[in-house]
Amino acid sequence: GEDVEQSLFLSVREGDSSVINCTYTDSSSTYLYWYKQEPGAGLQLLTYIFSNMDMKQDQRLTVLLNKKDKHLSLRIADTQTGDSAIYFCAVGYSSASKIIFGSGTRLSIRP
Amino acid sequence: GAGVSQTPSNKVTEKGKYVELRCDPISGHTALYWYRQSLGQGPEFLIYFQGTGAADDSGLPNDRFFAVRPEGSVSTLKIQRTERGDSAVYLCASGAGDGELFFGEGSRLTVL
């Protein structure tokens, strides 16, 4: 079955860019998502990209997709303390299929 | 409603008891998903409904777990003979079939 891998931790200085990486195994994945989870809160959809796209930008967020390497990344520009959270990469086969999540990357911000 | 609503937000039960968890999806959303999230892990898929029918129940861990969505709106996840290993946050999500899933805040289940 599909496997989604992420590094567990990332620490960045406030104001720097954060880059969170994700790899997945199933090349037929069509929808690729980034979710954010703050402590004690639910999952918030940040952005998603279709597999026929290489890049998507939304304000401070940039998603890059390397379909050949099955690698997805999320870049957060000008990282702020409010960006501290766990970020989950997730993939789906269609608009209505199940979504498989990675284990999440905990982003911490240094002053 | 404005978002996905899950009740109860917290449930403490004893090993061997029966538990029901409820999900009210966003009005008009035809797709409904149940996930389970253990501490330090990502959400684990359980079951997905399209309308009233279970389109994919491949994530249900065993026959103690069952979910229904009789009228295509509210869904109930039912767990029989609960075990300590069932302790987790159970998440519900709904979608309009366009790929965007919206999650509720979850029901935290603790089995003593």
Side-chain angles (χ1 to χ4, degrees), chain B residues 10-95:
Chain B
N10 274 287
K11 176 71 178 178
V12 180
T13 191
E14 292 179 345
K15 181 174 175 296
K17 299 290 189 185
Y18 170 79
V19 164
E20 287 190 355
L21 305 175
R22 175 188 167 107
C23 173
D24 278 275
I26 293 172
S27 179
H29 279 187
T30 56
L32 186 145
Y33 304 75
W34 283 100
Y35 283 81
R36 175 169 72 174
Q37 187 175 23
S38 300
L39 195 63
Q41 300 293 318
E44 173 194 5
F45 170 77
L46 296 177
I47 186 169
Y48 151 58
F49 287 90
Q50 184 63 244
T52 60
D56 185 346
D57 64 358
S58 61
L60 294 177
N62 51 59
D63 61 6
R64 294 187 299 106
F65 288 75
F66 190 70
V68 295
R69 194 186 186 198
E71 296 177 358
S73 178
V74 170
S75 176
T76 305
L77 178 65
K78 308 181 181 195
I79 310 173
Q80 298 178 318
R81 304 183 304 280
T82 50
E83 299 177 357
R84 292 196 180 90
D86 299 334
S87 296
V89 176
Y90 288 82
L91 298 168
C92 178
S94 71

Side-chain angles (χ1 to χ4, degrees), chain A residues 5 7 16 25 41 46-47 59 62-63 66-67 70 77 84 91 101-102 106:
Chain A
E5 298 283 343
S7 53
D16 287 352
T25 55
L46 284 178
T47 187
Q59 298 181 3
T62 303
V63 178
N66 182 328
K67 197 173 176 184
K70 297 194 275 287
S84 292
V91 302
F101 283 80
R106 183 181 295 275

Side-chain angles (χ1 to χ4, degrees), chain A residues 8 31 33 35 37 40-43 45 48 50 88 94-104, chain B residues 31 33 35 37 40-45 48 50 56 58 91 97-105:
Chain A
L8 291 180
Y31 287 72
Y33 303 84
Y35 279 84
Q37 189 173 42
L43 285 158
L45 176 64
Y48 65 97
F50 299 109
F88 290 96
S94 74
S95 62
S97 70
K98 66 185 178 188
I99 295 175
I100 305 299
F101 283 80
S103 296
Chain B
Y33 304 75
Y35 283 81
Q37 187 175 23
Q41 300 293 318
E44 173 194 5
F45 170 77
Y48 151 58
Q50 184 63 244
D56 185 346
S58 61
L91 298 168
D98 59 358
E100 290 194 42
L101 260 60
F102 298 90
F103 280 81
E105 304 246 330

